[in-house]
């Protein structure tokens, strides 16, 4: 996969892209990431990328000319990229969108700043994404989140494919509690089932704990979750099925 990021602050992206999974993915050839400075495509001698909004109001608005020129530059180098604008007005980014994006060969992430981007740029954009109902200084941190969440879904990047399949949100449920050594800490012991070596019972425990945690913390997620016949039977025998029915879950 190739990801191009358009920004007026490319240095903000440098360090995260050179660490951990993102670094290894690039070294292995699974991912190619390039940052492009929108200022390089400004048309005036001061490299202006923003101006005051027509109609008045606070702040500045990013100009269309340098952004479109930057998009065209990337398209000339690598045609056919899927253009995503990072904006609070976009659809909410989640694991389903990450999986959707991970199937693409080339994505271009456009990072906004100030009071936003001139509306006329939308004609060059394929999708608009928001990572949540809060405001950031700019789209760079949001773009990094998108890059990270996509990268870990790419084949062979994590090394353990089960990590992707069992992650929180992989099927709409929060992940079950996790434990490691020591067996006892601060008066709390690791649940006996995890030490039993019985993989079937461990799987069942993890599913039940995952459902319980989702009920307690994010019950709205359960409306989109479906369970197998085997799982339904387990949930019924544990008494959790009744709680799910009250939450209008498909059980």
């Amino acid at each position: 996969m190739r990801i191009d990021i358009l920004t007026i602050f490319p240095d903000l992206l440098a360090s995260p892209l050179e660490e951990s999974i993102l670094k290894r993915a690039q070294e292995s050839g699974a991912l190619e990431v390039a940052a492009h400075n929108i200022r390089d495509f400004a048309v005036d001698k001061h490299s202006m990328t923003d101006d005051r909004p027509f109609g008045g109001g606070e702040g500045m608005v990013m100009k269309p000319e340098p952004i479109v020129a930057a998009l065209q530059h990337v398209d000339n180098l690598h045609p056919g990229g899927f253009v995503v604008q990072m904006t609070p007005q976009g659809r909410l980014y989640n694991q389903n969108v990450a999986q959707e994006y991970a199937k693409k060969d080339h994505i271009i992430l456009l990072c906004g700043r100030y009071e936003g981007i001139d509306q006329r740029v939308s004609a060059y954009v394929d999708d608009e994404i928001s990572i949540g109902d809060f405001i950031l200084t700019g789209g760079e941190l949001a773009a990094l989140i998108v890059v990270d969440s996509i990268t870990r879904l790419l084949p062979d990047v994590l090394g353990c494919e089960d990590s992707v399949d069992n992650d929180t949100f992989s099927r709409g449920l929060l992940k079950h509690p996790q434990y490691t050594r020591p067996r006892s800490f601060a008066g709390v012991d690791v649940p006996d089932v995890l030490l039993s070596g019985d993989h079937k019972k461990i799987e069942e425990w993890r599913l039940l704990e995952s459902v319980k945690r989702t009920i307690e913390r994010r019950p709205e997620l359960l409306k989109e979750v479906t369970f197998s016949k085997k799982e339904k039977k387990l949930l019924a025998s544990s008494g959790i099925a009744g709680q799910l029915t009250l939450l209008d879950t498909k059980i």
Side-chain angles (χ1 to χ4, degrees):
M1 167 173 278
R2 177 179 178 86
I3 299 178
D4 288 283
I5 306 175
L6 307 189
T7 170
I8 59 172
F9 293 110
D11 289 346
L12 277 176
L13 308 170
S15 179
L17 291 173
E18 295 172 359
E19 301 289 344
S20 186
I21 296 296
L22 294 179
K23 179 181 180 181
R24 294 204 298 270
Q26 292 174 84
E27 289 176 343
S28 72
L31 175 69
E32 186 177 0
V33 183
H36 306 267
N37 193 337
I38 297 172
R39 295 186 192 279
D40 293 341
F41 301 91
V43 295
D44 69 295
K45 64 180 181 180
H46 300 296
S47 298
M48 293 288 293
T49 58
D50 58 276
D51 208 334
R52 295 192 176 280
F54 281 119
E58 70 283 356
M60 306 290 277
V61 175
M62 293 188 72
K63 293 165 61 68
E65 308 101 306
I67 292 175
V68 171
L71 287 170
Q72 291 173 340
H73 170 75
V74 172
D75 190 63
N76 288 336
L77 294 174
H78 305 279
F82 186 80
V83 181
V84 180
Q85 181 178 333
M86 313 309 300
T87 169
Q89 287 81 34
R91 61 171 173 150
L92 188 62
Y93 190 72
N94 58 28
Q95 190 66 16
N96 289 334
V97 181
Q99 291 169 345
E100 174 189 328
Y101 284 0
K103 296 175 183 177
K104 299 184 181 299
D105 296 324
H106 182 199
I107 291 176
I108 302 169
L109 300 177
L110 172 57
C111 302
R113 280 265 159 178
Y114 313 123
E115 294 304 312
I117 293 174
D118 188 295
Q119 180 60 34
R120 290 167 290 186
V121 173
S122 64
Y124 302 85
V125 172
D126 298 304
D127 201 1
E128 295 184 348
I129 286 297
S130 168
I131 63 167
D133 296 336
F134 52 88
I135 305 301
L136 296 172
T137 306
E140 288 78 15
L141 297 181
L144 286 169
I145 287 172
V146 171
V147 173
D148 186 273
S149 59
I150 293 172
T151 300
R152 61 193 319 285
L153 294 173
L154 300 178
D156 302 322
V157 166
L158 291 184
C160 178
E161 298 305 315
D162 288 344
S163 294
V164 171
D165 295 334
N166 296 321
D167 271 343
T168 291
F169 302 125
S170 60
R171 61 171 297 185
L173 296 171
L174 301 184
K175 195 163 187 174
H176 53 78
Q178 296 277 40
Y179 296 88
T180 186
R181 293 183 178 85
R183 291 189 179 186
S184 182
F185 176 75
V188 180
D189 295 332
V190 175
D192 290 338
V193 65
L194 298 179
L195 307 174
S196 68
D198 188 326
H199 296 295
K200 181 175 180 292
K201 287 185 177 180
I202 291 172
E203 263 188 48
E204 292 176 346
W205 179 87
R206 285 176 169 168
L207 174 66
L208 293 175
E209 291 298 315
S210 181
V211 173
K212 288 178 187 176
R213 178 167 282 188
T214 307
I215 289 172
E216 293 170 358
R217 302 182 183 185
R218 294 290 303 278
E220 76 279 4
L221 296 175
L222 290 160
K223 293 182 179 180
E224 304 300 324
V225 178
T226 56
F227 296 99
S228 67
K229 290 183 178 180
K230 182 179 177 182
E231 289 172 337
K232 289 177 181 179
K233 185 176 179 181
L234 176 64
L235 291 167
S237 65
S238 71
I240 297 177
Q243 298 178 57
L244 293 174
T245 301
L246 291 174
L247 292 168
D248 196 26
T249 302
K250 303 168 187 175
I251 185 72

